[in-house]
Amino acid sequence: EEEARWHLGRCLGESKNWRMLHDLTLPDHRSASLCQIDHVLVGRLGDVIVLETKSAVEGMKLDVKTGA
């Protein structure tokens, strides 16, 4: 997670179009517990990207899901 945060900061840290949130803890009302989100990118035009970081020892995979 720390390495992903560093890379995101390098790519978007000075951007006026994106804001980054890291390590969010939100209530999960279905299970009455908490869920943790690694990274959320919020775009100036309303785009929201949620990232869950995993170990990249064996490679990486992009799984795109849209609400449309």
Side-chain angles (χ1 to χ4, degrees):
E1 290 180 31
E2 288 299 318
E3 186 174 350
R5 179 188 294 209
W6 181 83
H7 284 289
L8 290 169
R10 283 203 61 204
C11 293
L12 301 173
E14 299 297 321
S15 175
K16 294 180 182 178
N17 294 319
W18 292 94
R19 292 293 178 252
M20 293 179 284
L21 304 167
H22 305 283
D23 297 323
L24 295 175
T25 303
L26 303 171
D28 181 350
H29 299 290
R30 289 178 288 175
S31 65
S33 63
L34 297 175
C35 65
Q36 190 264 340
I37 300 172
D38 294 334
H39 315 280
V40 177
L41 306 177
V42 181
R44 186 174 62 103
L45 299 176
D47 297 314
V48 176
I49 300 171
V50 178
L51 300 168
E52 176 70 22
T53 15
K54 300 292 181 199
S55 173
V57 173
E58 296 182 20
M60 297 179 71
K61 172 184 149 188
L62 178 62
D63 185 12
V64 178
K65 296 179 182 177
T66 65

